[in-house]
Amino acid sequence: MTTPKFAQIKQFIVDKIRSGLWQENQRVPSENELSTQFSVSRMTARRALSELTESGILTRSQGLGTFVASFKSQSSLLEIRNIADEVKERNGNYTCSVLILESINAVAPIAIALGVEVESVVYRSVLVHNENDSPIQLEERFVNPALASGYLQQDFSATTPHEYLSSVAPLTQARHTVEAIMPNNEMCQWLNLYNEEPCLQVIRRTWSVNGIVSFARLVSPGSKYRLGGHLTFKK
């Protein structure tokens, strides 16, 4: 089966990053440059860049171009909190539905995000967090087995991935990307969204002292969830 052109472009970019030829924050070829190089339409090149951006591999800056994302921590207004604690603080009843808990072979974007080899085994979980029996967040998480070997043996209906990972690989750094998205059909089904509505998506990578622990995508209906932060400025 012939590999789609957009997938070829994605693999080309990933290979350049993995080899070290393209460094963090380095500008990558534009849609026009890629469409010329691979003899494809700009739409095809745009799809490749967009999917790598959504995965956190690239970052786009309006008017400047597309760059290799920084895989180090960055400051954030977001506090890393356990969603179960958030619900309980609102006097809500927290429950969790475990949809998927499996080991998979890492495709290139996931391998880069976790700092492991392509096709190496990683853990994947898909959960729905509920407040008062209503879904408020879909969590898809990829975990480095070397830093959390017992991940697949956990009962995530009783403890959250955040709680478990914090106990075996305490968080030292994190990187967030936050954006508004329209959910696909699968997301709508998992979140019980009968009317299409914008969702808040957080892409999060976390580190411990020993390396990258997990790469997660958190999707919440815009009508049910919001993010907040508090800043204290030194005098």
Side-chain angles (χ1 to χ4, degrees):
M1 182 181 295
T2 303
T3 304
K5 285 288 188 178
F6 80 91
Q8 293 179 30
I9 297 174
K10 288 174 63 177
Q11 188 62 55
F12 167 77
I13 294 172
V14 166
D15 288 345
K16 292 291 187 183
I17 297 172
R18 286 194 63 84
S19 68
L21 291 176
W22 291 359
Q23 299 293 314
E24 293 180 8
N25 302 316
Q26 180 175 335
R27 184 181 179 278
V28 305
S30 66
E31 293 175 6
N32 284 337
E33 291 168 333
L34 288 171
S35 63
T36 299
Q37 181 176 348
F38 287 87
S39 300
V40 297
S41 66
R42 281 190 60 186
M43 184 178 297
T44 298
R46 183 181 301 123
R47 177 177 178 181
L49 293 176
S50 296
E51 291 190 4
L52 289 177
T53 300
E54 290 172 3
S55 299
I57 306 304
L58 301 177
T59 182
R60 309 189 84 168
S61 178
Q62 185 68 33
L64 296 178
T66 305
F67 302 83
V68 178
S70 172
F71 296 144
K72 299 178 181 177
S73 64
Q74 66 180 33
S75 61
S76 173
L77 298 181
L78 298 178
E79 180 183 0
I80 307 295
R81 301 196 61 203
N82 181 23
I83 190 169
D85 293 336
E86 292 182 19
V87 172
K88 292 172 184 176
E89 286 178 5
R90 296 192 291 266
N91 295 318
N93 177 44
Y94 170 80
T95 57
C96 177
S97 305
V98 181
L99 304 178
I100 299 173
L101 193 57
E102 63 182 357
S103 60
I104 63 171
N105 294 324
V107 295
I110 299 304
I112 289 178
L114 288 176
V116 299
E117 295 295 323
V118 174
E119 293 298 318
S120 63
V121 174
V122 300
Y123 299 151
R124 175 179 179 245
S125 60
V126 179
L127 316 174
V128 173
H129 302 286
N130 308 291
E131 181 172 359
N132 299 327
D133 297 322
S134 177
I136 59 168
Q137 187 177 88
L138 170 66
E139 173 187 319
E140 180 179 28
R141 187 181 297 268
F142 300 90
V143 174
N144 184 346
L147 301 180
S149 59
Y151 190 78
L152 296 184
Q153 284 70 55
Q154 303 309 303
D155 178 6
F156 290 126
S157 63
T159 184
T160 66
H162 175 80
E163 289 174 308
Y164 169 71
L165 294 175
S166 294
S167 68
V168 299
L171 175 68
T172 59
Q173 303 178 49
R175 179 179 185 270
H176 304 281
T177 302
V178 184
E179 64 180 332
I181 65 167
M182 294 303 296
N184 59 31
N185 290 336
E186 190 173 49
M187 291 177 183
C188 288
Q189 179 181 354
W190 285 340
L191 288 169
N192 288 344
L193 297 179
Y194 300 104
N195 296 313
E196 193 174 80
E197 66 170 275
C199 289
L200 181 69
Q201 175 175 273
V202 178
I203 300 294
R204 176 179 295 161
R205 299 170 73 226
T206 57
W207 283 254
S208 73
V209 293
N210 295 315
I212 303 170
V213 179
S214 72
F215 172 65
R217 177 176 63 168
L218 312 172
V219 178
S220 304
S223 61
K224 297 182 181 180
Y225 199 76
R226 65 181 178 180
L227 291 171
H230 175 77
L231 290 177
T232 300
F233 296 96
K234 294 182 180 180
K235 294 182 179 180

